[in-house]
Amino acid sequence: GRLAPFKKGFAHVAMATGLPVVPVVIRGAFRLLPVDTFQLCPGEVIVEVLPPLDTSDWTEDRIDEHIADVRALFVGRLDPDQQPLEGSAAEAR
């Protein structure tokens, strides 16, 4: 349930199309579907659609910065039990 490093694909697609990125933060879903099971548990999932991010000025040479900026939006909105672990890699893969 913790936030993992972001991959670069979404940024490449945004730059290639010129379309905005619309971050969608999902909180609590991991608690309702335990790992390695098909058991669904009742509970609340919060889906937050953030404002679109203009990508018209994104460039390949700054792709890691763009990804870090988007990831920071997620970090700022996730519950403590979904925050990345201390010292975990935050760079894009």
Side-chain angles (χ1 to χ4, degrees):
R2 295 199 180 271
L3 187 65
F6 282 15
K7 303 222 182 249
K8 294 184 179 185
F10 81 91
H12 287 291
V13 171
M15 288 186 292
T17 63
L19 294 172
V21 168
V22 180
V24 178
V25 180
I26 301 173
R27 295 194 310 262
F30 77 99
R31 293 184 205 105
L32 307 181
L33 183 60
V35 177
D36 297 328
T37 73
F38 290 105
Q39 178 184 4
L40 292 173
C41 302
E44 182 179 67
V45 173
I46 299 169
V47 178
E48 183 180 6
V49 180
L50 303 181
L53 304 173
D54 180 20
T55 63
S56 62
D57 64 345
W58 283 19
T59 58
E60 184 71 32
D61 62 320
R62 295 184 53 218
I63 192 168
D64 292 333
E65 292 174 50
H66 303 312
I67 293 168
D69 291 343
V70 173
R71 191 170 189 273
L73 293 173
F74 282 74
V75 170
R77 286 176 166 76
L78 289 173
D79 296 332
D81 60 349
Q82 287 187 265
Q83 292 290 322
L85 290 175
E86 194 73 26
S88 68
E91 63 276 351
R93 293 179 183 196

